[in-house]
Amino acid sequence: MTLEVQRTADAVTLKLSGEWGVREFGALEKDFASVDVRGAHAVVIDAGGLKSLDLSGAWALHEFVRRTREAGAAVSFQGAPPDQLRLLDETLKETDAAAIPAQPAAAAGRAGGRLLTGLGRETVAFVDSSLEGLAFLGRTTVSGLGDFRRLKHLRPISIARHVYDTGVTALPIVALIAFLISVIIAYMSATQLRGLGADIYVVDLVTIGVLRELGVLLTAIIVAGRSGSAFAAELGSMKLNEEVDALVATGVDPFEVLVVPRVVGLVIALPLLTIVADLVGIAGGALLCRLLLDMPFAQFIARANEAIAPTTFWVGVLKAPVFAVLIATAGCFRGMQVRNSARELGRLVTVAVVQAIFLVILADALFAILFMQMDI
Amino acid sequence: MDPVVQVRGLVNRFGAQVVHDGLDMEVNGDEVFGIVGGSGAGKSVLLRSILGLRRPQAGTVRIFGHDITRMNEAQLREVKARYGVGFQSGALYSGLTVLQNVQLPMIEHLQLNTSALDDLAMLKIRLVGLPADAGAKFPAQLSGGMIKRAALARALALDPSLLFLDEPTSGLDPISAAAFDELVLYLQKQLKLTIIMITHDLDSIFRTCNRVGVIVDRRMISDTLNKIVDDPNPWIQEYFHGERARARLEAPHGA
């Protein structure tokens, strides 16, 4: 690719040769920009030496010709101008440049004003989204209650699949994390309490902590990460693929076949997972007491029996279905909101998980206050 | 002149299922080559093998004379910059605007400044007959016909001399499909493109293709359009002379 410039008194001759393609576009633009046509009345372009000229190369030439003409010089070609220029002219004529809309002007305003409008917009969006979420929960409830009245509509196979996917396959990770967390609590409290000679209260801390709070909370957070995201991604890609529209068009309620089985499945799975987490957590505590404090298992069990009441267990497990509803609803709700693009899918899956975890912790705090008031 | 695309002895197997068994195909410069075959005949597998998305079990695939089945990723990338592909459903990146979709191959393969990128991408968008304001739209805001055109604009982003089109007119109404055929023909003549297209659309074949390759019995029978319709193979006879095709053949054709 070369561009040769010959200057006479008031004329410039450009000799083009070699291959002009999109790969040389950057260099071409630079070369053209360096051609000084000031004071020249005539610019003659000789394109006879071009081996090849693709559309991008032609565009560089076209732009140069346009600029030169605007600068007041006459441009002519030695021999016929390249065909590609004619194609460009045809294209540009057909789609008038005037049709290009101006970029929408950025909203003007002082910085303070922008902050205020931003805050307002975010607030309105938050309230809207919360209301929509509430409406979604309501619709799921109505749809679910309807299904329970007509048991045929409650899809047992689908529910079983979700119990398996969200519950059975989560067992190893839930058990492992419950074990590790109870080991951490037992270890931390043992080192502190041993100094006070209150070793025995390690049992209270581990059993009550795991049964009331940690077992269910950790399980819910793991499940929110695993299954909340899976629900949002599944439903979201079904939305993108128009599968949800296909269901509606077939006269099938997507809430009935997609949302309710997931919610019911998780409501079954999460309490069961919680029980497993409780058992493994207590076992982990007992093991650590044995290894660290030389406390026999029998003594651990005897002390645990004194420390906990049946309510300690039920307080933890009863929270699980509530958390399950929150996680499943957040996942399905965000999944169903996916529209148009893969980026939207990623964003809403993230939102689903973050909101599920937030809602679980918020609900746990409310439960703590409630149980305190009830003296349980 | 060497063939632009040359496939020799291609073998593709999935387990026990043999899709291609010694398939040969040759496409010369400056022609529109149609690939035809029944559902499951292996058109898409053939295209994927040619595009380097799939390594065949045996055989060679030469594009511009280079055997892509023996290339490493870096060499393959060089070849890929020289052809454009229009996928069946558009495969536009849903998170990018049409303009950004067209710019993506340019950004990946070339060093250009922002204004040059905008100019060149807008030129391609206008070249395929999209209104200028389509550039700022997202794929989800486009109609089916516009998506096909936007996909074509992206395929042309690097000014390739070779273009692959997978069912370019499927899903379009007959008028839009005819308009798309005309656009492809116009660009083929103006830009001297070699086009390889998979299609089921008989109108499209008769309007645009110079030569046609039919995949039957795991191999390809290819010939000029006028000759292939008289091939004695029963599938080809059924395809070009069956109930649906008869009306088309009886009408005068060839412009």
Side-chain angles (χ1 to χ4, degrees):
Chain A
M1 168 223 85
T2 44
L3 177 66
E4 245 177 80
V5 187
Q6 292 165 351
R7 279 197 82 102
T8 55
D10 61 349
V12 175
T13 306
L14 299 180
K15 268 186 177 325
L16 322 182
S17 59
E19 299 190 352
W20 280 33
V22 68
R23 264 156 213 81
E24 291 83 32
F25 189 84
L28 280 178
E29 274 207 319
K30 220 174 283 160
D31 283 1
F32 272 127
S34 69
V35 176
D36 185 11
V37 292
R38 272 173 306 171
H41 293 294
V43 174
V44 180
I45 298 171
D46 177 7
L50 280 182
K51 273 213 208 74
S52 70
L53 176 68
D54 75 8
L55 211 55
S56 304
W59 176 258
L61 183 57
H62 178 271
E63 286 296 279
F64 171 73
V65 171
R66 189 180 58 77
R67 277 199 308 272
T68 311
R69 283 192 176 136
E70 273 171 13
V75 180
S76 60
F77 283 88
Q78 203 159 44
D83 284 349
Q84 289 85 343
L85 279 186
R86 197 174 38 72
L87 172 64
L88 275 182
D89 284 334
E90 272 178 38
T91 306
L92 298 180
K93 201 164 58 201
E94 273 175 32
T95 57
D96 193 0
I100 299 176
Q103 294 291 320
R110 286 168 297 121
R114 272 207 301 276
L115 196 67
L116 210 59
T117 38
L119 187 67
R121 195 174 294 133
E122 288 293 312
T123 312
V124 171
F126 176 76
V127 171
D128 278 356
S129 151
S130 307
L131 287 179
E132 273 174 46
L134 217 55
F136 188 89
L137 185 64
R139 216 180 136 186
T140 309
T141 312
V142 170
S143 183
L145 290 179
D147 292 347
F148 274 102
R149 269 192 282 115
R150 300 157 298 160
L151 280 180
K152 185 166 70 74
H153 288 254
L154 201 66
R155 289 152 206 273
I157 294 173
S158 180
I159 291 175
R161 195 206 108 193
H162 290 299
V163 170
Y164 181 82
D165 282 352
T166 60
V168 179
T169 57
L171 272 176
I173 185 70
V174 166
L176 179 67
I177 291 193
F179 178 79
L180 291 176
I181 287 292
S182 73
V183 164
I184 293 170
I185 300 173
Y187 190 80
M188 269 176 49
S189 49
T191 38
Q192 299 295 320
L193 294 175
R194 194 150 46 178
L196 304 169
D199 305 20
I200 197 72
Y201 290 107
V202 173
V203 179
D204 296 48
L205 263 170
V206 170
T207 48
I208 295 176
V210 167
L211 289 182
R212 281 190 78 112
E213 289 294 339
L214 290 171
V216 63
L217 193 62
L218 286 169
T219 308
I221 288 174
I222 295 165
V223 168
R226 277 183 96 249
S227 306
S229 59
F231 290 173
E234 272 177 13
L235 297 193
S237 59
M238 285 182 79
K239 277 286 285 209
L240 287 182
N241 215 4
E242 297 186 318
E243 288 171 55
V244 176
D245 293 341
L247 280 175
V248 176
T250 324
V252 180
D253 179 10
F255 277 78
E256 185 183 308
V257 292
L258 298 178
V259 180
V260 172
R262 283 180 170 76
V263 176
V264 174
L266 200 61
V267 166
I268 296 171
L270 196 59
L272 297 177
L273 278 176
T274 302
I275 294 172
V276 172
D278 287 352
L279 289 174
V280 175
I282 291 176
L287 188 70
L288 205 83
C289 285
R290 168 87 187 264
L291 295 177
L292 207 67
L293 303 171
D294 292 326
M295 186 188 292
F297 288 135
Q299 196 187 347
F300 183 94
I301 293 168
R303 177 64 208 164
N305 267 328
E306 287 170 38
I308 58 176
T311 46
T312 319
F313 168 75
W314 287 115
V315 157
V317 170
L318 280 179
K319 289 192 272 193
V322 177
F323 292 172
V325 169
L326 293 174
I327 294 167
T329 313
C332 295
F333 172 52
R334 294 304 172 186
M336 291 291 231
Q337 280 186 324
V338 172
R339 249 164 222 107
N340 302 342
S341 77
R343 183 183 290 175
E344 191 77 340
L345 177 63
R347 187 181 71 80
L348 284 166
V349 169
T350 312
V351 170
V353 174
V354 171
Q355 282 188 341
I357 292 177
F358 166 74
L359 288 173
V360 162
I361 292 178
L362 182 71
D364 198 42
L366 294 178
F367 271 121
I369 298 171
L370 177 73
F371 290 143
M372 205 178 71
Q373 296 295 325
M374 290 168 69
D375 267 334
I376 315 180
Chain B
M1 196 167 75
D2 281 343
V4 174
V5 175
Q6 186 189 44
V7 178
R8 281 268 168 274
L10 188 75
V11 177
N12 272 307
R13 275 189 300 263
F14 295 99
Q17 187 199 357
V18 180
V19 181
H20 302 129
D21 185 13
L23 182 144
D24 295 332
M25 175 178 132
E26 216 161 85
V27 180
N28 300 312
D30 220 5
E31 73 177 3
V32 182
F33 186 87
I35 297 176
V36 172
S39 298
K43 300 183 296 292
S44 299
V45 178
L46 174 61
L47 185 67
R48 288 176 62 83
S49 304
I50 296 175
L51 295 180
L53 295 173
R54 176 193 158 76
R55 296 231 167 190
Q57 267 84 5
T60 57
V61 176
R62 285 177 189 281
I63 299 182
F64 307 118
H66 309 288
D67 184 359
I68 63 154
T69 56
R70 293 188 213 308
M71 279 184 168
N72 61 32
E73 287 298 319
Q75 292 167 316
L76 207 52
R77 193 180 137 90
E78 287 303 304
V79 175
K80 282 176 180 171
R82 293 175 61 191
Y83 62 66
V85 188
F87 286 95
Q88 186 175 354
S89 52
L92 294 172
Y93 308 117
S94 55
L96 304 178
T97 63
V98 172
L99 191 74
Q100 288 168 331
N101 261 284
V102 178
Q103 286 173 341
L104 189 128
M106 300 182 184
I107 294 171
E108 287 302 312
H109 286 282
L110 309 169
Q111 266 95 41
L112 293 176
N113 59 34
T114 324
S115 70
L117 275 176
D118 285 347
D119 283 351
L120 290 180
M122 198 39 96
L123 176 66
K124 297 292 152 59
I125 289 171
R126 294 165 81 171
L127 186 69
V128 297
L130 284 174
D133 62 349
K137 287 187 177 158
F138 284 92
Q141 296 168 292
L142 301 181
S143 68
M146 287 168 91
I147 285 176
K148 300 270 188 192
R149 282 172 192 259
L152 184 61
R154 187 178 68 185
L156 291 171
L158 295 174
D159 283 323
S161 57
L162 172 62
L163 191 61
F164 294 93
L165 299 174
D166 190 358
E167 306 214 9
T169 54
S170 71
L172 297 183
D173 68 86
I175 296 170
S176 305
F180 197 86
D181 284 341
E182 294 308 316
L183 173 67
V184 168
L185 266 185
Y186 172 77
L187 293 176
Q188 194 271 331
K189 289 215 175 68
Q190 298 291 337
L191 303 174
K192 302 193 173 43
L193 297 172
T194 306
I195 296 179
I196 297 177
M197 67 173 173
I198 292 181
T199 184
H200 284 300
D201 186 344
L202 279 169
D203 290 315
S204 200
I205 294 171
F206 282 108
R207 183 71 190 106
T208 56
C209 294
N210 309 113
R211 291 202 310 133
V212 175
V214 187
I215 305 180
V216 275
D217 303 329
R218 299 182 282 282
R219 286 160 189 259
M220 180 177 273
I221 302 173
S222 54
D223 213 328
T224 59
L225 184 59
N226 291 331
K227 287 189 190 151
I228 196 121
V229 294
D230 298 326
D231 193 282
N233 181 290
W235 195 89
I236 297 179
Q237 281 304 309
E238 176 62 26
Y239 186 81
F240 286 108
H241 301 281
E243 205 54 55
R244 300 187 62 161
R246 198 166 296 141
R248 184 65 190 81
L249 270 185
E250 278 163 6
H253 68 77

